[in-house]
Structures are given as structure tokens and as C-alpha cells.
Amino acid sequence: MSAIRQPAVAGRFYPASPQRLRAEIESYTAAEATEAKLPALGCVVPHAGYVYSGHVAGAVYRRLELPQRFVILCPNHTGMGEPLAIMSRGVWRTPLGDAAIDDELADELKRRMPLLSEDEQAHLTEHALEVQLPFLQQLDPDFRFVPIAVGTGNFEVLSALGVALGNALAQHRERVLIIASSDMNHFESDGVTRVKDRRAIDQMLALDARGLYDVVREGHISMCGYGPAVAMLTAARKLGASRADLIRYATSGDVSGDQDSVVGYAGIAVY
């Protein structure tokens, strides 16, 4: 019997009511007619409660030509499970229905990256991947995805994951989008956070995975999903990416009014 991953943060990070959830996503993703769609290979999107970061995630998703297949990389905030945790069977349930795991692509990734461990535990209460799914369910029905929780900060492992992703996706005629779920700097002042985040954003815009890793680690930037971003950038470069755009940036202070302790949110498209 295939696993059903139940929603862990519905009613907290986003509405549990399907009607309210659809209306909120629509408010974040209503695109202007003049906006051209980008055929992205990868992207970075935030994962806070929708009230804080939904407008940044929505700005990214509405700008992309969304394919039918995704690899979604998220940090492991809970510390549960394996360092590289994949689920290759089953569905993830949200208030908008069930999103199916791409078992064929998941199996291929496990063959190419032996450090990927089959592990539901790491995903059980992790919010960073779950909050992406309602956006995709509303904008891109019938998609399939591979969920991977990244709980290691080892650059060689992150780079190897990116290489495996790039090599696997290069064999597919249809485009697969790699989503790196990450918030930016945490719980410093708005002024400090914007300076720190800009340093990390500049490395991502330069498509420099090693540069991002070094800036985050040496600059004490508490970007929770730098690991997923490093792997995504590595894979995107192998797939021929030559450009990245900052779609939107904000901090939680823009919503809360609290400028003393904020979280940064960046939405980036890589193509």
C-alpha cells in the first residue's frame, strides 16, 4: 500500500479550508498580462507562513512555465531521519487533494545518488516542502514530484547530489523543475538581514554554488535552505543554466512591522 503523507501544517502555515486556501493562493499568483513566463530549470522559494512569505513564493510561481514534473528540495528543520531523505512512493495530501510522488524519477535518482535514503520520518512534520504543494496544485494540476529533505551541510555531498540531479534530468526530454525551498537570514534586524541576504543572493544570481556555500558559512547567514540551493544551482549549471533573476525579496518586517527581528525571503528563478 502506498504511503499517504498527511498535512502537518495546514491551518497554521496556510489555511486548512480548501476555499480559503485557493483564494489566498490566487491573491499571490494573479499575474499581470505583460509578464513573460520563464522556462526555468531551478528556483528558490521561501517556506514561511503564507501571510509572511506567500507573496514572494507566488511571485516566483506565477512567472515560471511550470512543467509536469518537479524535484523539491527542502531543509530538514526537525533533525529527524536521514541526512538525505527521499520518499519514492505514495502521495502527499493537502486541503486541495493528493499530490503524487514520481516513483520513476525517484528510483532513478536513488540509483545515481546512493546516499539518498528512503525515509518517511524526515518528512513527517517538516513544513518547508509541504507549503510548496498547494501552489503547484492550484497552478499546475496533475503534476508529479520527488520530495527530498536535506539534513547535511557537507559541501561534497551537496555537490554530488546536484551532479546526480543534473545527470538524471539531462536524460529526460521533458523539462523537470528543481525547487529549492529556503528562507534567508533569521532573527536579526531588518537592516542587518538585508545586507547579509544580499551577499547570499548575489552568489545565487552568479550561479555560484561554492560561493553561496562559503558566504553563508563564513558570513554567519542563517539561510536554512542553503543546502538545497547549493544542490539546485549545481544541477542547473549541469543542465545549461546561464542566468538567474531575483523575482522578489522581502522580510517578515514588511508584514509585521517589527524591524528588530525579521526573517528574509528571496524568490529566484534560474534558467
Side-chain angles (χ1 to χ4, degrees):
M1 181 177 177
S2 295
I4 299 176
R5 194 275 191 183
Q6 297 290 343
V9 295
R12 294 193 293 129
F13 278 63
Y14 60 85
S17 157
Q19 294 78 16
R20 284 186 54 212
L21 180 54
R22 288 193 181 279
E24 188 162 342
I25 291 172
E26 173 62 27
S27 74
Y28 300 137
T29 58
E32 298 177 8
T34 56
E35 287 184 328
K37 299 288 188 179
L38 301 174
L41 298 168
C43 64
V44 175
V45 286
H47 54 238
Y50 282 11
V51 67
Y52 293 108
S53 68
H55 66 107
V56 177
V60 175
Y61 286 129
R62 78 187 189 196
R63 285 295 309 278
L64 303 185
E65 287 181 4
L66 295 175
Q68 290 290 286
R69 305 175 85 181
F70 301 89
V71 175
I72 309 180
L73 307 171
C74 73
N76 184 336
H77 290 91
T78 69
M80 298 167 61
E82 297 293 330
L84 291 180
I86 190 172
M87 289 178 63
S88 56
R89 298 291 185 278
V91 299
W92 283 44
R93 183 160 292 166
T94 81
L96 301 186
D98 290 347
I101 292 174
D102 190 330
D103 55 350
E104 178 186 350
L105 181 54
D107 287 343
E108 183 176 352
L109 291 176
K110 287 190 294 184
R111 286 194 299 270
R112 291 180 180 271
M113 183 61 179
L115 293 178
L116 281 169
S117 300
E118 194 71 32
D119 179 18
E120 295 180 20
Q121 194 71 13
H123 292 281
L124 189 62
T125 60
E126 176 57 57
H127 67 277
L129 196 153
E130 177 184 329
V131 298
Q132 310 306 327
L133 296 178
F135 281 98
L136 301 179
Q137 287 175 305
Q138 178 141 327
L139 296 173
D140 193 27
D142 302 321
F143 71 92
R144 291 174 293 156
F145 76 108
V146 178
I148 299 174
V150 178
T152 177
N154 182 291
F155 180 78
E156 286 69 29
V157 172
L158 297 171
S159 181
L161 174 60
V163 169
L165 278 169
N167 288 338
L169 301 188
Q171 304 304 311
H172 290 264
R173 289 196 300 177
E174 58 181 311
R175 184 168 52 89
V176 180
L177 178 66
I178 305 169
I179 298 171
S181 175
S182 182
D183 293 341
M184 300 299 292
N185 196 59
H186 288 62
F187 308 135
E188 294 188 270
S189 71
D190 191 84
V192 168
T193 289
R194 288 177 185 273
V195 170
K196 284 189 170 185
D197 284 351
R198 188 70 229 189
R199 294 180 64 203
I201 289 167
D202 284 346
Q203 298 302 316
M204 290 189 280
L205 296 182
L207 304 178
D208 188 345
R210 182 76 215 201
L212 173 64
Y213 182 88
D214 290 342
V215 160
V216 167
R217 304 271 290 209
E218 295 168 9
H220 305 289
I221 302 169
S222 52
M223 176 184 176
C224 53
Y226 74 90
V230 164
M232 180 277 291
L233 289 169
T234 303
R237 287 291 296 268
K238 285 197 70 68
L239 291 167
S242 60
R243 179 173 172 178
D245 289 347
L246 177 62
I247 304 298
R248 180 170 293 183
Y249 176 82
T251 75
S252 58
D254 295 334
V255 174
S256 70
D258 177 5
Q259 304 295 309
D260 295 328
S261 180
V262 307
V263 179
Y265 312 117
I268 294 173
V270 176
Y271 55 103

